[in-house]
Amino acid sequence: ILSVEPGKLLSLLKEREERLRNILPELKKLKDTKFYTPHEVQYFKGKQGLKSIFDDILNEGSDYLGWGPERKIESLLKYYFIHYINARRKRKIHAKLIYFEDSRGANYTKNPLIQVKYLPRLFYLTTAHRIYGDKVAIILLEDDPLCILIKNKKIADSYRNQFNILWKIAKK
């Protein structure tokens, strides 16, 4: 093994630095290129997590779509839901919601600024869905709820299409 002249190491380092400087503009272009649709996924647990989803709907401030077992949401968030409905009314946030037939006539189907349609029990799910802005909330309604919030325009548009298909099938 032979040792290298220490000055040679600096020379090698300068040579590599020069090569890196030459390709830096191309690397910057690659960094700015979007190879995918930007997205963000958040996970919430418990009643507080469920409240976070509805707070986010209020903060987004845009109309939303949804379907699922509303009765379960109302029972989990009893007192908070009154605040949510009032805040939604004050901010003039409209909603189109699809519930199941057994919800017909329930108080939550008569909330302000909502249009409601109903699906037969055959379509029953244990998850609720809310679509607003570029976001989709998937909510597993158990005693300890689990919420997944996806921020992605393509996914939100896909769920909107699903909603529109269900809306055509649902009855007033």
Side-chain angles (χ1 to χ4, degrees), residues 70-84:
E70 191 73 15
R71 179 173 288 152
K72 185 71 174 173
I73 293 173
E74 188 182 45
S75 70
L76 285 167
L77 300 180
K78 235 178 248 180
Y79 304 108
Y80 169 82
F81 222 59
I82 294 166
H83 153 76
Y84 170 75

Side-chain angles (χ1 to χ4, degrees), residues 121-165:
R121 189 82 177 149
L122 165 73
F123 288 90
Y124 185 81
L125 303 166
T126 56
T127 55
H129 304 81
R130 295 295 181 267
I131 307 144
Y132 55 102
D134 289 345
K135 298 176 183 177
V136 175
I138 303 167
I139 307 163
L140 178 60
L141 293 164
E142 297 181 330
D143 290 337
D144 191 26
L146 169 69
C147 311
I148 300 166
L149 182 62
I150 304 168
K151 182 178 181 181
N152 179 289
K153 183 174 178 10
K154 288 182 179 179
I155 292 174
D157 288 345
S158 174
Y159 269 80
R160 268 187 201 83
N161 289 339
Q162 287 180 43
F163 176 87
N164 289 331
I165 290 167

Side-chain angles (χ1 to χ4, degrees), residues 57 60-66 84 88 91-96 113 130-135 160:
I57 290 171
E60 183 82 19
S62 61
D63 296 349
Y64 69 97
L65 309 171
Y84 170 75
R88 194 172 55 76
R91 295 176 189 186
K92 295 181 171 57
I93 299 172
H94 292 79
K96 287 174 77 173
L113 305 176
R130 295 295 181 267
I131 307 144
Y132 55 102
D134 289 345
K135 298 176 183 177
R160 268 187 201 83

